[in-house]
Amino acid sequence: MKVYFYTLGCRVNQYETDAVRKLCENSGMTSVDLPEEADVVVINTCSVTGEADRKSRQQIRHMRKVNPKAIICAMGCQVEAAEGKVEADIILGTRDKKLLPDRINEFCNSEEYITRTTTGFCMHKRPEVSKEDVYQEFGTVQSPEGTRAFVKIEDGCNNFCTYCIIPYTRGRVVSREEENVVKEVMELASEGFAEVVLTGIHLCSYGKDRGEGTEALLRLLQKINAIDGIERIRLGSLEPMSLTPEFIAGLKSINKLCPHFHLSLQSGSDTVLKRMNRKYNSSEYEARVNALREVYPDMSLTTDVICGFPGETEEEFNETYEFVNRLKFSKLHVFPYSVREGTVAAKMEQVPKSISKARTAVLNDFSSKAEDEFARRFVGRKVRVLVEANRSAEAEKLSGDSGVFYTGYTEEYVKVVIKFKDEAEAKKYVGRVIEGNLIEFLTLYAIEEF
């Protein structure tokens, strides 16, 4: 049985795809790189916005067209949001993904499958998706990247922002057992992974379902920090109000923690933040950033911004622009607001899409300049770079008879290229952290010597 996987959405979704891929392979199935080659096509859906929801439905239809004979499986958030009413042969909710191998085998032995293979038509059996808020343990999940591994430690969200459907599709906060996280990281270290990225739907809520605050995340970080072989720890998206003085002081003791922080913003306008039901205002956000910069003066600060949120005026957008400019973000992830049915914001007065698109373009331009400006701060300085297993498109173009280029990232997540004599030399350094002076190189940044 050959299986093809397609993933939409966040890093948590990608982690779960990698996990169920391994489960399928352990049950005797083979992963393939093209949907045309597959007996089963699995689409891990996303429903974070109306656009993501649309793309998920589109991919399901597209895969059916590309490979009419394949068993189509849809799993994840869009399935939950649609309450299982999805045009797929097999459906799995966000809490059911680990059941995929069993569901595939059950379907292949069902009368429904026999009908489908003889007539080309499936009745689309729609069992109810699970609603129980219990962490689904996948064990150790190896990232295809080969050098950096994502480790999921939490699922669900309790915040109920007015634009977001996730608390309904992912459920409430559930935390992974600490010993299971530590075990996974130890196994990843033994496999040669030098960097781990802790991820979750609402990372700072780790332990909240057990009555704990951010001390639970700090305790976990301290244990990971002590694992031999792990040289870097990164954190996924953090909520700004979780950055208390005590939490920041605790982070300072984690010497393997990379000074790269992604603090969710969404808007720099207090009136927009209030309509979003975010749990902070711009002044509180800025105070957290300033406190963090006292400990990490050269840190990379990235964030998410939504443009054209319902009712957003030109003045409110300008407040956001001025805010991100003042805080000196190193990169923005900018999204035009997309109506998500079932949320409070969907019932609000909508901003024309043309305006949302124009505002998104303005902030994307700002982000490109900010990213380059941040990288230039390190030119002439010694930086530490983790050499990646997979070369980027830029590295491929640069490689030639005079040498080969591989890509890596500094601790602050500045992307650089490293020149090696040949492939044999380069492979010796893949997965290792090297030091060198950063120089400007064409339109990129490079290590001069290491």
Side-chain angles (χ1 to χ4, degrees), residues 56-75:
S56 293
R57 296 193 303 271
Q58 182 185 57
Q59 277 302 323
I60 293 170
R61 293 193 297 269
H62 174 69
M63 293 302 178
R64 177 79 74 188
K65 184 177 181 180
V66 167
N67 191 342
K69 295 182 179 180
I71 297 169
I72 304 296
C73 173
M75 63 182 188

Side-chain angles (χ1 to χ4, degrees), residues 370-382:
E371 189 173 8
D372 186 64
E373 182 180 332
F374 179 75
R376 286 180 183 277
R377 291 169 52 183
F378 297 91
V379 171
R381 293 166 57 176
K382 183 170 285 187

